[in-house]
Amino acid sequence: MANVVVVGAQWGDEGKGKIVDWLSERADVIARFQGGHNAGHTLVIDGQVYKLNALPSGVVRGGKLSVIGNGVVLDPWHLIKEIASIREQGVDISPETLMIAENTPLIMPFHGELDRAREAQASVAKIGTTGRGIGPCYEDKVGRRVIRVADLADPATLELRVDRALVHHNALRLGLGLEPVDKVALLEKLNEIAPEILQYAAPVWKVLNEKRRAGKRILFEGAQGSLLDIDFGTYPFVTSSNVIAGQAATGVGLGPNAIDFVLGIVKAYTTRVGEGPFPSELHDENGERLGTRGREFGTVTGRKRRCGWFDAALVRQTCAISGINGIALTKLDVLDGFETIRICTGYELDGEVLDYLPTASDQQARCKPIYEEVEGWSQSTEGARSWNDLPGAAVKYVRRIEELIQCPVALLSTSPERDDTILVTDPFED
Ligand code: GDP
Ligand code: IMO
Ligand code: MG
């Protein structure tokens, strides 16, 4: 029996959605444990594209239980829209297949407004957030003034919660030149959607502990990537949650011993959306080519993703922080046709060689990548479904990555399509 945690090992968009969808065939429950609708997970199944933000990527498979855990921040209005649009694609979503933890914090419209107003302040460095209110909602959770799913069940409690939140937010809004929140209108909006959200509400911690005892397999779906982690990422250019594997347990209400295998999702090169340091970023035709071939545009905001060579030092670091047992290497096909490929193995900082990214922002910004160059391949790897279909140089590239990050490849992905995936080690059986 194994429960598997999937985490992004770079700056997000590594292909978690595709891998979670592929793995979910082997799982009984698929649970999101952090983040919110800042995530954009794309699945391609027989040519049909599904784009998910808040819903776990397991929803598209019938007969599985999808869970939104307490570690998530949930925009109820967005969720309702997402459910409607995914239903239009023929996916069945009901209280039998979707469960939301009762203690999940809710993102309010004023969270998004605050997020965007802060980003618009010219005097402070922009983070380049998705503008979806993720940070402000997590702040309110820790500040003990957030509105949670369970509060929707009782109008009197809901009003108390809203009052508590607004004392804080209206003061902030005044300083930012925003109108105070219309409390009556907000309560009306919340009471209107309450029944729709509450039909999915459940004590997720209890259900998952029971499932676990009954021998069911749980697949934990991470969002974002380890370098966006609030503690271990490139702070302050990060998201506002812990995204690393340790969060999977707290984000749903299971003990850490429920995690049997941590699968890190790793792109065969590096991308980043938003601001912040990125040592192996390319500003040349190679970067353009990675972006074009890899279709590197954000699913949530449509922004162009910054692209660069594979950074082995960073992934070695995130493998350690999340306790990654094996990686799924994605988008290898995007490297087809490069004559030579570079891999960043460490950094030069003030005349010294570092094998990890230091914590201080100014040092991160000054780190110069140290590269080794490997031979590329001219043949296509797109759609390869077996190791034998890969050119020798591609296999060598993968092997070199394994060596540098000190972690084996468990899965290899060669196109956006669900089945263009090579299984090396089954995380559920390992
Ligand atoms: P996530 O946020 O980690 O789920 O990743 P996104 O869905 O935001 O971005 C990954 C993109 O790459 C999506 O458009 C996927 O369809 C696509 N993708 C996933 N795996 C592969 C692959 O092996 N090759 C190619 N070419 N595209 C892939
Ligand atoms: P998935 O799950 C890539 C980035 C934003 C910004 C920073 C903070 O698709 O991999 P936030 O709105 O979270 O406060 O923004 O984090 N970011 C992501 N980048 N993939 C994601 O999710 C991301 N979610 C947030 O671009 O730099
Ligand atoms: Mg994404």
Side-chain angles (χ1 to χ4, degrees):
M1 228 74 58
N3 298 321
V4 176
V5 177
V6 166
V7 286
Q10 292 152 317
W11 274 292
D13 303 323
E14 299 91 347
K16 295 174 293 293
K18 166 178 167 164
I19 300 296
V20 168
D21 165 60
W22 191 86
L23 280 174
S24 62
E25 191 190 4
R26 293 163 155 75
D28 301 294
V29 182
I30 297 91
R32 280 277 308 265
F33 56 87
Q34 51 70 231
H37 65 314
N38 50 348
H41 298 173
T42 310
L43 283 50
V44 185
I45 302 155
D46 296 330
Q48 185 160 11
V49 181
Y50 302 85
K51 289 188 185 293
L52 301 168
N53 300 129
L55 287 169
S57 297
V59 287
V60 297
R61 298 224 185 229
K64 310 282 175 185
L65 175 64
S66 287
V67 169
I68 295 177
N70 55 277
V72 168
V73 283
L74 183 69
D75 181 327
W77 296 278
H78 182 93
L79 182 77
I80 289 167
K81 274 197 228 139
E82 195 176 327
I83 290 176
S85 96
I86 215 82
R87 272 192 188 137
E88 261 175 42
Q89 289 191 275
V91 175
D92 166 49
I93 296 175
S94 69
E96 278 70 55
T97 58
L98 177 67
M99 205 173 268
I100 305 173
E102 295 161 322
N103 47 347
T104 304
L106 294 174
I107 299 178
M108 294 293 116
F110 55 76
H111 288 133
E113 286 159 21
L114 179 58
D115 192 354
R116 295 186 292 274
R118 280 180 181 155
E119 287 282 283
Q121 298 276 304
S123 56
V124 286
K126 263 176 64 156
I127 305 290
T129 72
T130 59
R132 295 197 153 183
I134 306 295
C137 185
Y138 276 119
E139 287 168 35
D140 279 0
K141 170 181 172 170
V142 178
R144 294 165 293 193
R145 56 175 173 264
V146 91
I147 299 150
R148 309 199 299 178
V149 167
D151 300 328
L152 294 174
D154 177 43
T157 311
L158 186 61
E159 188 169 354
L160 281 176
R161 294 285 183 270
V162 168
D163 281 337
R164 195 177 169 88
L166 292 191
V167 168
H168 178 83
H169 279 274
N170 282 337
L172 265 179
R173 291 170 72 91
L174 189 65
L176 287 164
L178 297 171
E179 291 289 311
V181 174
D182 182 341
K183 176 185 149 182
V184 176
L186 176 62
L187 279 171
E188 214 170 278
K189 270 176 75 145
L190 282 166
N191 284 316
E192 191 187 310
I193 51 129
E196 257 183 283
I197 297 297
L198 286 170
Q199 62 177 320
Y200 304 107
V204 156
W205 67 269
K206 188 167 183 292
V207 174
L208 289 194
N209 273 277
E210 283 161 8
K211 294 268 181 209
R212 188 174 171 229
R213 244 177 280 129
K216 302 291 183 199
R217 289 166 154 190
I218 305 167
L219 177 58
F220 299 87
E221 177 180 11
Q224 289 79 54
S226 311
L227 294 162
L228 291 169
D229 182 87
I230 186 73
D231 287 301
F232 294 101
T234 44
Y235 195 92
F237 304 100
V238 293
T239 192
S240 296
S241 64
N242 279 119
V243 314
I244 57 177
Q247 171 64 22
T250 21
V252 298
L254 282 165
N257 52 353
I259 301 171
D260 300 295
F261 191 99
V262 181
L263 181 71
I265 314 299
V266 176
K267 204 181 278 195
Y269 47 98
T270 314
T271 62
R272 167 162 212 173
V273 209
E275 310 303 315
F278 180 173
S280 68
E281 183 171 13
L282 291 167
H283 299 283
D284 59 7
E285 67 277 12
N286 286 326
E288 281 296 318
R289 180 169 167 170
L290 288 172
T292 310
R293 281 189 58 94
R295 298 194 188 152
E296 298 295 354
F297 291 92
T299 337
V300 175
T301 55
R303 286 176 292 179
K304 203 170 166 180
R305 295 174 183 153
R306 299 155 65 192
C307 296
W309 295 120
F310 184 76
D311 189 334
L314 279 185
V315 175
R316 186 166 57 232
Q317 186 164 336
T318 58
C319 279
I321 291 166
S322 267
I324 290 173
N325 299 98
I327 65 161
L329 190 67
T330 63
K331 305 191 95 162
L332 186 67
D333 54 293
V334 174
L335 294 174
D336 290 354
F338 275 96
E339 213 162 287
T340 54
I341 299 169
R342 291 179 142 199
I343 304 177
C344 171
T345 56
Y347 314 103
E348 197 241 285
L349 177 68
D350 306 332
E352 273 187 58
V353 173
L354 292 182
D355 64 356
Y356 70 99
L357 191 70
T359 301
S361 309
D362 65 307
Q363 294 189 353
Q364 289 184 347
R366 279 185 291 117
C367 273
K368 298 221 165 34
I370 299 170
Y371 287 117
E372 68 176 42
E373 200 161 89
V374 298
E375 194 192 328
W377 53 91
S378 54
Q379 304 93 314
S380 166
T381 64
E382 197 185 334
R385 293 188 182 184
S386 109
W387 210 245
N388 296 333
D389 295 339
L390 300 177
V395 174
K396 259 173 96 175
Y397 180 68
V398 176
R399 293 295 179 223
R400 185 63 187 139
I401 284 179
E402 285 181 315
E403 220 165 68
L404 287 168
I405 66 170
Q406 296 164 4
C407 190
V409 167
L411 290 158
L412 200 66
S413 166
T414 57
S415 102
E417 267 290 341
R418 176 190 270 175
D419 292 322
D420 292 337
T421 306
I422 302 172
L423 177 67
V424 182
T425 309
D426 187 340
F428 283 109
E429 301 293 344
D430 197 57

